[in-house]
Amino acid sequence: MSESPDPAPRPDDGAAPVDPVYRDAVVDLLGVISYGEITAFERLADDSKLAPTMQDKVALATMAATELGKVGRLHQRISELGGDPFAAMAPFRVAIDSFHQHTAPSDWLEGLVKAFVGDGLANDFYREIAAFLDPGTRDLVLASLDDDGGHAAFVVERVREGIATDPRHGGRLALWGRRLMGEALTQAQRVAADRDSLTALLTGGVDRPGLDLAALGRMFTRLTERHAERMSELGLDS
Amino acid sequence: MSESPDPAPRPDDGAAPVDPVYRDAVVDLLGVISYGEITAFERLADDSKLAPTMQDKVALATMAATELGKVGRLHQRISELGGDPFAAMAPFRVAIDSFHQHTAPSDWLEGLVKAFVGDGLANDFYREIAAFLDPGTRDLVLASLDDDGGHAAFVVERVREGIATDPRHGGRLALWGRRLMGEALTQAQRVAADRDSLTALLTGGVDRPGLDLAALGRMFTRLTERHAERMSELGLDS
């Protein structure tokens, strides 16, 4: 397509986006995903200390390492787009750090539920956004969400075992799941209010399709429904 | 070589070792290396919290993830040899945990020196042992020692910068390096006393060549010399 003189963004040709507003939004998106993965690494590495067995510890540590392993490609893409990976992450530190400060697990099971529910929610949200990206960025974002190691299955099994051993865990962990969802929404709201570029990815632009308010509402309904499905997979009420 | 009826170990044909004493020793060796890498992951992930910048934090977290990424192959090989990876690591937990308890870095620079000096020392030791292994195991052990990401260069640069900024760090970190070496020798001695199989890898067996006492002495001299070289690479007296 290099013969085309058209300078407008072409979200379908897989090339790097040329519209600077769109490019900034993509850099923002890759920045927030990267920082999310770095902090996920830190939390999982920390939570692995709570593991009751060496096997469980290695399983959680492996999840941590997997998260961090995705950061390199995201940072590389930010650089290709002319951004600085660390500058791109900076605007999201307060929101993501606050999320983690307000949701520090007090034991092994809370850590597992957080890994499963928090990761799932973030992945669902990035998948929704991915529909509005050029194919190259979309593939990169979707690849960064892959659960390569069957980690989710490990978490589901361990949480269900924990509840079977002591059913009182069920009520406490159900509350914990609601708190995770509430904190995630609070911080997402904060990011949306601060970063017009990211919201513009969803709501569209002059040359780009987007969601109207009704469609945004349906998206949040989908996210909430999937959260409820995940909770029920863990054997918890949502 | 399947036509040969000879049941003795053939350290040069690359097949799985058949001598049960040798096989147990290899399982021990892979167990201690695995557990060392798991704890290295934990320490580096912890130490990354001390990083002065987000860039430094990501660099150390990446080193942590790299260490953990090597564990899977080692565990797989232990299973292939008929061992249980977690049982194989168990005998080394006390020694390695004690090493880390006695060498908890009090700041970022101590953490970096420990990553460089401790890792280097362990790698040198495993490389010495590798010379006495069948080729399949040797390749696996050597691959697990590779510094794929140029992490060592990062550490050297940061420690030298730290000393240039405040030369008083030099004396303190030189002492720290000696302490690391002393603790490593103490724990290695403990392992050698407890695990005959590992020492037998070095000292040889009926069908296997090994080191006599003089050669063992020369090996320790080489390890000490390389430690001194690493310290001087960091700009520190050893």
Side-chain angles (χ1 to χ4, degrees), chain A residues 42 46 49 57 61 68, chain B residues 42 46 49 57 61 68 93:
Chain A
E42 293 186 277
D46 256 1
K49 293 176 193 161
K57 177 191 286 220
L68 200 83
Chain B
E42 293 187 276
D46 256 1
K49 293 176 192 162
K57 178 191 286 222
L68 200 81
R93 288 181 63 171

Side-chain angles (χ1 to χ4, degrees), chain B:
Chain B
M1 294 219 182
S2 57
E3 67 279 16
S4 163
D6 177 9
R10 290 176 309 244
D12 287 317
D13 68 0
V18 286
D19 167 5
V21 174
Y22 175 72
R23 193 200 55 208
D24 288 353
V26 168
V27 167
D28 260 16
L29 176 66
L30 301 178
V32 69
I33 299 179
S34 305
Y35 192 65
E37 282 173 352
I38 291 169
T39 58
F41 164 84
E42 293 187 276
R43 302 333 307 166
L44 290 167
D46 256 1
D47 294 351
S48 73
K49 293 176 192 162
L50 303 168
T53 69
M54 181 59 60
Q55 282 87 334
D56 287 337
K57 178 191 286 222
V58 172
L60 217 61
T62 303
M63 287 172 70
T66 304
E67 293 288 343
L68 200 81
K70 295 167 179 172
V71 172
R73 278 167 298 172
L74 297 168
H75 279 186
Q76 195 188 335
R77 181 68 176 159
I78 292 173
S79 301
E80 285 165 8
L81 292 172
D84 172 79
F86 291 91
M89 298 194 298
F92 306 105
R93 288 181 63 171
V94 171
I96 293 182
D97 289 352
S98 300
F99 172 75
H100 287 300
Q101 274 155 20
H102 293 150
T103 58
S106 65
D107 65 12
W108 168 244
L109 289 176
E110 285 190 4
L112 288 183
V113 171
K114 180 175 170 181
F116 185 69
V117 161
D119 223 49
L121 193 56
N123 286 357
D124 282 347
F125 181 62
Y126 296 138
R127 248 184 226 108
E128 293 277 355
I129 290 194
F132 299 95
L133 299 173
D134 62 281
T137 309
R138 180 161 64 226
D139 290 350
L140 180 68
V141 167
L142 293 178
S144 80
L145 311 180
D146 271 355
D147 174 31
D148 349 77
H151 303 311
F154 159 79
V155 171
V156 170
E157 192 184 313
R158 284 294 182 280
V159 172
R160 286 188 163 267
E161 278 169 12
I163 298 170
T165 307
D166 182 350
R168 281 171 305 177
H169 289 315
R172 175 172 71 87
L173 293 174
L175 274 176
W176 174 244
R178 281 199 281 283
R179 193 160 132 216
L180 289 168
M181 182 64 164
E183 276 297 332
L185 288 179
T186 304
Q187 300 306 333
Q189 189 112 7
R190 174 187 252 179
V191 168
D194 280 2
R195 303 300 290 183
D196 289 344
S197 64
L198 273 187
T199 24
L201 272 183
L202 280 173
T203 52
V206 179
D207 328 293
R208 263 194 333 277
L211 299 175
D212 59 17
L213 268 184
L216 268 178
R218 287 193 294 274
M219 186 190 89
F220 278 105
T221 306
R222 283 193 296 277
L223 292 176
T224 314
E225 283 169 359
R226 287 194 206 119
H227 171 72
E229 284 163 19
R230 262 189 301 272
M231 292 294 282
S232 112
E233 233 184 302
L234 293 171
L236 298 170
D237 297 330
S238 58

Side-chain angles (χ1 to χ4, degrees), chain A residues 31-45 64 67-72 74-75 85-86 89 96-97 100, chain B residues 48 54-55 57-59 61-62:
Chain A
V32 69
I33 298 179
S34 305
Y35 191 65
E37 283 173 352
I38 290 169
T39 58
F41 163 84
E42 293 186 277
R43 302 334 306 169
L44 290 167
E67 294 288 342
L68 200 83
K70 295 167 179 171
V71 171
L74 297 168
H75 279 186
F86 291 91
M89 297 193 299
I96 293 181
D97 289 352
H100 287 299
Chain B
S48 73
M54 181 59 60
Q55 282 87 334
K57 178 191 286 222
V58 172
T62 303

Side-chain angles (χ1 to χ4, degrees), chain A residues 80-153:
Chain A
E80 285 165 9
L81 293 172
D84 173 77
F86 291 91
M89 297 193 299
F92 306 105
R93 289 180 63 171
V94 171
I96 293 181
D97 289 352
S98 300
F99 172 75
H100 287 299
Q101 273 153 22
H102 293 150
T103 59
S106 66
D107 65 11
W108 169 243
L109 288 176
E110 286 190 3
L112 288 183
V113 171
K114 180 175 171 181
F116 184 69
V117 162
D119 223 48
L121 194 57
N123 287 357
D124 282 347
F125 181 63
Y126 296 138
R127 248 184 225 109
E128 293 277 355
I129 290 193
F132 300 94
L133 299 173
D134 62 281
T137 309
R138 181 161 62 225
D139 290 350
L140 179 68
V141 167
L142 293 178
S144 80
L145 310 180
D146 272 353
D147 174 31
D148 347 78
H151 303 312

Side-chain angles (χ1 to χ4, degrees), chain A residues 120-121 124-125 127-129 131-132 181 202 211-230:
Chain A
L121 194 57
D124 282 347
F125 181 63
R127 248 184 225 109
E128 293 277 355
I129 290 193
F132 300 94
M181 183 65 166
L202 279 174
L211 299 174
D212 59 16
L213 266 184
L216 268 179
R218 287 193 295 275
M219 186 190 88
F220 277 105
T221 305
R222 283 194 297 278
L223 292 176
T224 314
E225 284 170 358
R226 286 193 208 120
H227 171 72
E229 284 164 19
R230 262 189 302 273

